[in-house]
Amino acid sequence: MRDDEGIISKDMVIKTSICIYWLFCFIAMMLIITNRKYIYSLLNPSFESPDKEKGYKVSLLLGWIVTLAASGAYISFTRKYETGNYEIIDLIVFSVFNGILEQFMFIFWFFLGCYIGKIISSSNNKLIFTLGYISYAMFSGIIHALFWIKVLPSHEPAIIIMPVFLSIMSLVWMWLVWRYRAVMAIIIMHMFIDFITVGHLNFAWFESFQIIGL
């Protein structure tokens, strides 16, 4: 009986932690939406030029290639210590919710870095993008190391391989935002990698995580 109570308690802590994180992500999303006119001024001015779509298809294809590569690397090199079953609908809903909300949080930190870069040098686009990417990468690394590694089933990602793949993927994602304002595209990519990686871990806690009544 105590074991069951312990599992339920742990389950509730995990669900509550995720929901609190999503709440902060939602706040970040609303800040971006309500300040989007100013935010556009932080991004690459080439988007306002007649050839604003130049290179977009290539960049989008590259985004999907690195997303698929990162997903494949995660499945291939991540060691799992726990297994379980999950309801596929819960995994889909989680991927959609987290893909939207967390990606907006990532973008928020990218914009924050861009804002700092804009203050330092309003005309140095390389500096603005670089500081945006560094800000994004720092938050992404911290949230995965201190939060997701604790709430997801026990596992051990490849120490060197995954940071390399994820760093490259993140760089392309932020380029798509910076150059093409392709927010929806990278949200879909985030949903995809969440579905693949979290599903690979057999997140057993999804069994009772009924966000929607299906």
Side-chain angles (χ1 to χ4, degrees):
M1 184 68 177
R2 290 182 179 178
D3 290 341
D4 291 340
E5 290 177 354
I7 292 173
I8 293 173
S9 177
K10 182 179 180 181
D11 188 28
M12 288 303 299
V13 169
I14 290 170
K15 293 175 186 177
T16 302
S17 299
I18 292 175
C19 288
I20 292 173
Y21 175 56
W22 281 353
L23 175 61
F24 282 103
C25 291
F26 178 78
I27 293 171
M29 180 179 73
M30 295 309 298
L31 287 172
I32 291 173
I33 292 173
T34 55
N35 294 280
R36 60 187 179 277
K37 290 185 178 180
Y38 173 74
I39 287 172
Y40 287 156
S41 69
L42 300 175
L43 303 179
N44 194 321
S46 297
F47 186 76
E48 306 299 331
S49 65
D51 60 344
K52 62 181 181 180
E53 297 293 330
K54 183 179 180 180
Y56 173 66
K57 291 182 179 179
V58 174
S59 296
L60 185 63
L61 177 61
L62 182 59
W64 275 110
I65 289 173
V66 295
T67 300
L68 289 169
S71 301
Y74 190 89
I75 292 174
S76 300
F77 299 108
T78 297
R79 180 179 299 176
K80 299 186 292 185
Y81 296 112
E82 296 179 13
T83 59
N85 299 309
Y86 55 82
E87 296 292 338
I88 189 67
I89 186 63
D90 291 331
L91 179 58
I92 292 173
V93 172
F94 173 86
S95 300
V96 170
F97 268 68
N98 196 65
I100 295 172
L101 294 173
E102 187 172 52
Q103 193 66 290
F104 267 105
M105 178 63 92
F106 288 166
I107 294 171
F108 172 85
W109 283 92
F110 174 72
F111 288 156
L112 180 61
C114 290
Y115 174 73
I116 295 172
K118 194 84 169 180
I119 293 175
I120 296 173
S121 177
S122 60
S123 60
N124 191 336
N125 288 328
K126 290 182 180 179
L127 175 66
I128 295 171
F129 177 81
T130 299
L131 290 182
Y133 175 72
I134 291 174
S135 176
Y136 161 89
M138 288 178 61
F139 174 79
S140 177
I142 290 172
I143 198 65
H144 282 89
L146 300 182
F147 179 71
W148 287 117
I149 198 72
K150 297 183 182 298
V151 302
L152 291 174
S154 181
H155 65 287
E156 182 182 345
I159 296 176
I160 298 177
I161 295 175
M162 285 315 301
V164 171
F165 273 96
L166 293 176
S167 296
I168 296 172
M169 181 187 73
S170 300
L171 182 63
V172 178
W173 280 6
M174 291 305 103
W175 168 253
L176 283 165
V177 173
W178 163 258
R179 175 61 180 83
Y180 302 104
R181 319 295 200 262
V183 174
M184 184 56 65
I186 66 169
I187 284 176
I188 294 173
M189 293 176 193
H190 197 140
M191 291 179 187
F192 176 83
I193 197 170
D194 277 351
F195 182 84
I196 296 297
T197 56
V198 177
H200 172 66
L201 293 178
N202 296 326
F203 201 170
W205 296 304
F206 281 135
E207 290 176 358
S208 59
F209 196 3
Q210 294 292 339
I211 300 177
I212 57 178
L214 293 177

